Amino acid sequence: MPRLPFLSLTCAIAFSVAACDRQSADEAQQQENSAEVKANEELTGTVDRSQAGTPLPAVTVTDPSGTTLDLSKAVGKPVLLNLWATWCAPCVAEMPLLDELAAERADTLRVLTVSEDMKGPELVVPFFKEKKFANLPQWMDQANDLAFGMGGGASLPLTVLYDAEGKEVWRVIGGFDWASDQAREMLDEAAPPADG
């Protein structure tokens, strides 16, 4: 008879462990589902036209090789300027879409991605290598001059469309689905007028 309580205790422990394992699997599934929902939520940025006409900022950015670019001189064709960071989930979610967009519209649109990571190349270079982006530049703004100049430490991601003369058309605050019909129509707003 003394074995019966021991057996009951053993069964209770085994049942508890099994329940914990099932709970862990359930939690993992919930986390995975939450990640999918979160990824969709991350691409729901808002369009802001309140600063239309503002010129490209006079900020110089640098790439990992030390090459610099004065953004105010990036004129001649429309520019889509994207401020992002490796720690920003919606930024990471939209980067593949921006890479595809840069390839698709290479002749008519200059896509400039600028990292606001303070560690610069230490984070940006491995991120680009891992993601295998072939069409996005690795510009960096380690001092965050650009982010602060565009709204006092702008929320990331922040993407601004400038026309060929360097004047703001609109900005999107938050992640955005750059493959959507809405994005295509909005980008066409900066296209030069058709000859005719």
Side-chain angles (χ1 to χ4, degrees):
M1 282 230 162
R3 290 181 179 230
L4 189 57
F6 175 75
L7 184 58
S8 297
L9 179 61
T10 303
C11 289
I13 291 171
F15 180 75
S16 296
V17 169
C20 288
D21 284 347
R22 193 186 78 215
Q23 184 177 6
S24 296
D26 289 345
E27 286 176 6
Q29 181 64 44
Q30 288 173 353
Q31 287 174 350
E32 187 175 312
N33 292 341
S34 295
E36 289 175 17
V37 169
K38 188 174 182 183
N40 291 336
E41 290 173 356
E42 288 166 354
L43 297 177
T44 58
T46 56
V47 179
D48 177 4
R49 297 175 184 273
S50 67
Q51 299 191 48
T54 304
L56 267 161
V59 172
T60 299
V61 294
T62 308
D63 75 4
S65 70
T67 301
T68 60
L69 171 66
D70 177 351
L71 292 174
S72 67
K73 307 276 192 255
V75 294
K77 70 177 173 180
V79 170
L80 188 67
L81 177 63
N82 173 264
L83 279 60
W84 69 282
T86 57
W87 48 262
C88 165
C91 300
V92 172
E94 73 176 357
M95 290 289 277
L97 300 171
L98 288 168
D99 190 52
E100 291 171 13
L101 180 67
E104 178 186 313
R105 296 211 176 193
D107 294 336
T108 59
L109 179 70
R110 186 174 184 184
V111 178
L112 299 177
T113 50
V114 180
S115 167
E116 296 297 314
D117 287 288
M118 290 189 280
K119 291 186 178 181
E122 181 182 332
L123 296 175
V124 173
V125 172
F127 177 81
F128 268 72
K129 186 176 181 182
E130 175 193 337
K131 301 296 183 181
K132 298 181 173 80
F133 297 133
N135 306 295
L136 297 178
Q138 297 182 37
W139 295 113
M140 299 171 296
D141 173 36
Q142 290 176 255
N144 293 162
D145 292 332
L146 192 52
F148 284 107
M150 296 182 79
S155 296
L156 296 178
L158 173 65
T159 308
V160 185
L161 179 67
Y162 294 92
D163 63 21
E165 296 174 356
K167 302 293 184 193
E168 182 170 330
V169 179
W170 47 253
R171 60 180 56 197
V172 174
I173 302 156
F176 200 68
D177 182 357
W178 297 106
S180 69
D181 290 340
Q182 179 187 8
R184 304 301 192 221
E185 290 170 13
M186 288 169 45
L187 290 166
D188 288 342
E189 293 177 39
D195 293 335

